[in-house]
Amino acid sequence: MDAFFTADEIAFRDEVRAFIRENLPTDLAQKTRDGIHLAREDMARWNTILDKRGWAVHHWPTEYGGPGWTPIQRFIFEAECASGDAPPLSVFGLYLVGPTIYTFGSSEQRARYLPGIRSGETFWCQGYSEPDAGSDLAAVRTTARKVEGGWIIDGSKAWTSEGHFADLMICLARTNPNVKPQAGLSLFIVDMKDKGISLQPVITIDSGHSVNTTFMDNVFVPDDGLIGEVDKGWTYAKFLLSHERTNNAQVHRSRREFTRLKDLAAALPGSGGGRLIDEPAMCRRFTLVEANLVSLEITVLRVLADQTEGREPGPEASIVKIIGSELQQRITELAMEVLGEEGIKAEHEGDSLLAQEAQGWTERHLFRRVVTIYAGSNEIQKTIIARSVLGM
Amino acid sequence: MRRSEQTRAEDTLLRDTSRRFLEDTYAWDEGRLRRADRAAHWRSAAELGWFALGLPERLGGLEGDGNQLLSILEEAGRVLHDAPLLANVLLAPKALSAMNEAVAIPLAEKLAAGEIRFAYVPDGSLHLSRSTMRLEGKGSLALGAAEATHWLVAVGSRSADGASLLLLPASDAVRRADSRLIDGRSASTLYFEDLAIPDDAVLARGETAFRLLEELNDRAVIGACAEAFGALEGGLELTVDYVKQRTQFGAPLSSFQAVQHKMAESFCEIEQMRSLLLWGAVALEGSPDERAQAASALKVFLGREGLTAASRCIQVSGGIGLTEDYRIGHVYKRLQTVSALFGSTEAHIARLGDLFIPSTQHET
Ligand SMILES: Cc1cc2nc3c(=O)[nH]c(=O)nc-3n(C[C@H](O)[C@H](O)[C@H](O)COP(=O)(O)OP(=O)(O)OC[C@H]3O[C@@H](n4cnc5c(N)ncnc54)[C@H](O)[C@@H]3O)c2cc1C
């Protein structure tokens, strides 16, 4: 795909690559390869290393510490991080809360919260979904009631990813029950250490713990914990969901994982004595995934090129979440075929290449059923395409 | 021959009794802990005749047909049964039928009474030397090997020359790596390191053994697919009930056409699997070629359409489908597990292809 980049961009890529090679601790790279739910300390360490170089918040405007890169440079940076096995940074602070606060927050909020996100010292979680408000987010029932000096929040939030180690939550709550559902919601900054907050872990089918149910009972948020204006929460939340569409494609992670899978299939013996990857059926499956992956990469680049050159991205922007998530699942499905019986073991013992690679793949394969469900389910995305792109 | 699952009265009775017994004593619950006493449960299964059903009358068995045997496994699949029924309901009776009666009768009695348990050890890289009678190599994953009293070991299954079927008493002298599988069952890899095999442990060798090994593996495939089918059918029912109850945007999920179509597609796949299982049931007693075709077709279907049907059930369940406390994820894991056992999907595609389009070399 080099044909797609300018000489300057290639030089930039080499610079990023060299930086990662020299600065990414090997144990962090190993942890990234091994599992899917990384510990807070691990994400924070890499965040801090990037921050020292000025690269932690690479998609933020320069006035808030961003490096001033073009969208294409960010693509290259993310691709290099993924291919070097750098830990993924916590999405909530960097992609959700940061942009919400610098776009809609007060200058005090910017000064108070942005530096911690940039440095990796504070972790955030997202409290939008509720047991009865999933795809239908406007059905949020958690309430925020005005009191002297602030707000009292009551309710429960479902699926709070990373809530068990987050310091703060960005929380969508109902401030006005008397208007249409979307119009009565507001966004708050909630301290996870508040005594009114309790968490219940939710174990997912990969046996991991990354999500929680969060109960909020009489949680006090001071006035300066309201983001922007009261009752505007829905507008803010939607603005952001439409903002970072290409991130959801997870194209770099897919590329990295696919490369690793290819390497594994090349290192494993096939049934006929040669390499597994040379068996016609395997070879064909890898090749078909490669064709899809390249087309996803180029589609994402198209969106970013439009953004870089100041154009509004075309309709292709709405497909990347769908095709990216489906491709992630196809890659792990292929991994299960490569792993054979090793892939269905819940724990993998021994130091064979197969056993070492299997743990991560089995977990990923199971957990990745989620990617077509969260961040706007694919059914909802398809309805949006039919309506707003195709005019149906 | 049975060409519809609209069953005879005695079959319905067997299925209903099995379902009630399993739901009363072994239902899957959110705690993921079976409160049942596993040993007592096994004895009750024996009392219901599950292990005698596949045995011929001359071994004191009930001589049930393929449909009856598979209906037990299907029902066990519905509750995501985790004990090694497959080898004891479907495989051991076949192996015992192939044995010298004087040896087989006492074993058959104990199997039927639930006093001994067999595990099937599929071939991995096993080799038995004819001259020294020493066994080398490792087996493929063997369900329930750790709790079995006897191992049915498939050796040298790739060619008639090296093939033999062994019946070994389970022994701690054999190195065993036990694993918990993602669907909660336990399985082991057995490593045989120069183990001396007495003559009377060899149930069959050469061409006879080769055919018997194929038959046993086909039976394992068909039986495992019956269990997976039961799990999937139960999973679809659960999911359809769920989407009727869950409301979003002021309407039940079941009212959205995207959700309806997903469920309808899964239904199409499940009904086709049911057809293939009916074929599998009669093919258990059919010609080797037909049995092989039915087994591989089922296995391919399960690994592709079956898994797709299960993943769609997760999809329309939304977040809850991802949780360990909800059943649908376990259904998916059961299908994923079965699809990796007894030959991968790709291996069965290749085998089915060889049967469907025999290569010219084979014919000469
Ligand atoms: C592992 C995990 C992590 C998560 N992390 C977070 C987090 O950190 N913060 C947070 O706020 N949320 C989080 N979520 C929640 C996630 O955003 C929701 O699961 C998602 O919005 C779907 O909602 P739901 O699970 O209630 O499914 P439902 O909304 O009940 O949907 C179930 C199914 O019905 C379909 N459906 C619904 N409505 C329609 C329609 N109108 N037309 C057609 N089909 C429809 C959906 O596509 C889906 O297939 C997480 C979820 C999971 C599973």
Side-chain angles (χ1 to χ4, degrees), chain B residues 274-296:
Chain B
R274 193 196 304 280
S275 303
L276 290 175
L277 260 182
L278 269 171
W279 186 27
V282 289
L284 283 177
E285 315 301 331
S287 74
D289 260 14
E290 179 151 4
R291 194 195 55 234
Q293 280 173 28
S296 286

Side-chain angles (χ1 to χ4, degrees), chain B residues 19 26 39 48 67 88 100 136 151 162 194-195 221 224 248 254 281 292 296 300 310 337-338 353 359:
Chain B
R19 183 172 299 187
Y26 219 71
L48 285 174
N67 282 289
N88 291 283
N100 164 344
E136 272 287 336
W151 294 328
D194 208 27
L195 183 74
V221 166
Q248 287 287 276
S254 59
S296 286
V300 170
T337 303
V338 170
S359 75

Side-chain angles (χ1 to χ4, degrees), chain A residues 92 126-129 134-135 159-161 211 367 370 373-375 377 379-380, chain B residues 246 248-249 253 256 258-259 315-319:
Chain A
F92 302 110
Q126 176 189 20
Y128 286 11
S129 307
S135 300
W159 315 114
T160 329
S161 297
V211 287
F367 191 72
V370 79
I373 294 173
Y374 68 12
S377 79
E379 289 70 38
I380 300 289
Chain B
R246 166 107 178 140
Q248 287 287 276
F249 305 101
L253 294 179
F256 303 130
V259 173
Q315 179 69 21
V316 302
S317 303

Side-chain angles (χ1 to χ4, degrees), chain A residues 26-162:
Chain A
T26 48
D27 66 312
L28 278 188
Q30 189 59 43
K31 282 181 184 164
T32 308
R33 281 190 292 272
D34 287 348
I36 38 174
H37 308 301
L38 283 181
R40 170 176 171 152
E41 305 77 67
D42 296 327
M43 292 188 276
R45 254 168 85 201
W46 179 234
N47 203 137
T48 308
I49 294 170
L50 286 179
D51 186 40
K52 292 218 176 82
R53 184 72 178 77
W55 288 354
V57 290
H58 59 273
H59 55 299
W60 290 10
T62 39
E63 50 193 307
Y64 307 115
W69 290 341
T70 64
I72 298 274
Q73 282 179 303
R74 299 198 309 248
F75 177 95
I76 292 170
F77 175 76
E78 288 172 356
E80 289 304 316
C81 285
S83 71
D85 294 325
L89 298 179
S90 173
V91 290
F92 302 110
L94 290 174
Y95 286 95
L96 176 72
V97 178
T100 304
I101 288 181
Y102 64 66
T103 314
F104 304 109
S106 65
S107 49
E108 291 77 38
Q109 285 169 337
R110 290 177 197 163
R112 182 156 165 205
Y113 296 112
L114 297 182
I117 298 176
R118 207 163 53 216
S119 66
E121 275 157 80
T122 30
F123 269 69
W124 289 74
C125 61
Q126 176 189 20
Y128 286 11
S129 307
E130 293 182 6
D132 291 321
S135 300
D136 182 11
L137 192 57
V140 158
R141 273 198 262 172
T142 293
T143 55
R145 181 164 48 85
K146 187 74 191 90
V147 293
E148 179 70 36
W151 301 80
I152 294 288
I153 301 191
D154 282 292
S156 51
K157 290 290 170 184
W159 315 114
T160 329
S161 297
E162 303 179 6

